[in-house]
């Protein structure tokens, strides 16, 4: 069996086992998914899901997030690990989305990775879950193996 045939067989089996993979992070649109994934670094999905409803009620899009400003964002996410840095990233990221992408989350992995606080894993999750692109989100633990 060739590598391609093996890959097709594995993909078929995975699609059978997981036809619609569940996204464990609560979100209401592609922007809030990006925010939730960014916030999940060094933190549990459960903790992120506890804090994001209040954040997303005030800021469901980049424009609203930029209006909040870094201090208000920090006050809403301060219970998460690396909250100071994440608040800074969310403020910067929101302004870039407004200025460069007309307030839309880019559908290109390289453009996503260019945003503050967005690494390959975050970009891959957003590409797969928000835009249906086949990606393989990998974190440092997998790289070490």
């Amino acid at each position: 069996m060739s590598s391609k045939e093996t890959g097709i067989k594995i993909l078929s089996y995975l699609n059978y086992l997981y036809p619609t993979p569940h996204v464990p992070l609560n979100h209401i649109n592609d922007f809030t998914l990006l925010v939730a994934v960014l916030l999940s670094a060094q933190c549990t999905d459960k903790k992120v899901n506890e804090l994001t409803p209040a954040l997303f009620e005030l800021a469901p899009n980049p424009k609203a997030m930029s209006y909040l400003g870094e201090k208000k964002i920090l006050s809403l996410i301060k219970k998460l690990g690396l909250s100071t840095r994440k608040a800074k990233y969310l403020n910067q990221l929101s302004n870039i989305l407004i200025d460069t992408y007309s307030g839309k989350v880019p559908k290109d992995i390289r453009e996503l990775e260019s945003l503050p606080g967005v690494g390959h894993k975050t970009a891959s999750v957003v590409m797969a879950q928000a835009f249906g692109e086949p990606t393989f989100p990998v974190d440092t633990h997998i790289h070490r193996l």
Side-chain angles (χ1 to χ4, degrees), residues 60-77:
N61 58 61
K63 193 170 193 172
M65 186 72 73
S66 71
Y67 284 152
L68 287 182
E70 195 174 322
K71 283 185 178 183
K72 180 65 176 177
I73 296 168
L74 179 59
S75 73
L76 294 165
I77 66 167

Side-chain angles (χ1 to χ4, degrees), residues 23 25-38 56 59-62 65 90 93 97 101-108 112 115 118 122-123 125-132:
V23 181
L25 294 166
N26 297 335
H27 62 284
I28 53 178
N29 56 40
D30 54 356
F31 173 71
T32 58
L33 175 63
L34 174 61
V35 169
V37 176
L38 189 150
F56 295 160
N61 58 61
M65 186 72 73
L90 290 179
L93 174 148
L97 291 179
Y101 300 102
S102 303
K104 306 271 189 230
V105 175
K107 295 181 180 181
D108 178 87
L112 279 169
L115 297 171
V118 178
T122 297
V125 170
V126 172
M127 291 299 296
Q129 299 300 325
F131 306 125

Side-chain angles (χ1 to χ4, degrees), residues 10-145:
I10 291 169
L11 179 60
S12 174
Y13 188 60
L14 288 172
N15 284 333
Y16 170 76
L17 290 174
Y18 309 103
T20 52
H22 170 70
V23 181
L25 294 166
N26 297 335
H27 62 284
I28 53 178
N29 56 40
D30 54 356
F31 173 71
T32 58
L33 175 63
L34 174 61
V35 169
V37 176
L38 189 150
L39 291 176
S40 71
Q42 303 296 313
C43 189
T44 65
D45 293 346
K46 180 181 178 187
K47 191 60 155 172
V48 172
N49 286 338
E50 289 172 9
L51 298 179
T52 51
L55 178 63
F56 295 160
E57 185 175 324
L58 294 173
N61 58 61
K63 193 170 193 172
M65 186 72 73
S66 71
Y67 284 152
L68 287 182
E70 195 174 322
K71 283 185 178 183
K72 180 65 176 177
I73 296 168
L74 179 59
S75 73
L76 294 165
I77 66 167
K78 65 185 171 194
K79 293 182 180 178
L80 300 177
L82 307 172
S83 59
T84 303
R85 186 175 300 159
K86 290 174 183 179
K88 180 179 180 178
Y89 289 156
L90 290 179
N91 190 53
Q92 292 173 338
L93 174 148
S94 297
N95 288 316
I96 292 169
L97 291 179
I98 293 165
D99 296 341
T100 307
Y101 300 102
S102 303
K104 306 271 189 230
V105 175
K107 295 181 180 181
D108 178 87
I109 196 159
R110 286 174 298 287
E111 290 176 338
L112 279 169
E113 289 175 350
S114 74
L115 297 171
V118 178
H120 185 73
K121 180 182 173 187
T122 297
S124 294
V125 170
V126 172
M127 291 299 296
Q129 299 300 325
F131 306 125
E133 293 294 323
T135 61
F136 192 72
V138 176
D139 64 14
T140 55
H141 305 291
I142 298 297
H143 280 296
R144 285 186 204 131
L145 292 175

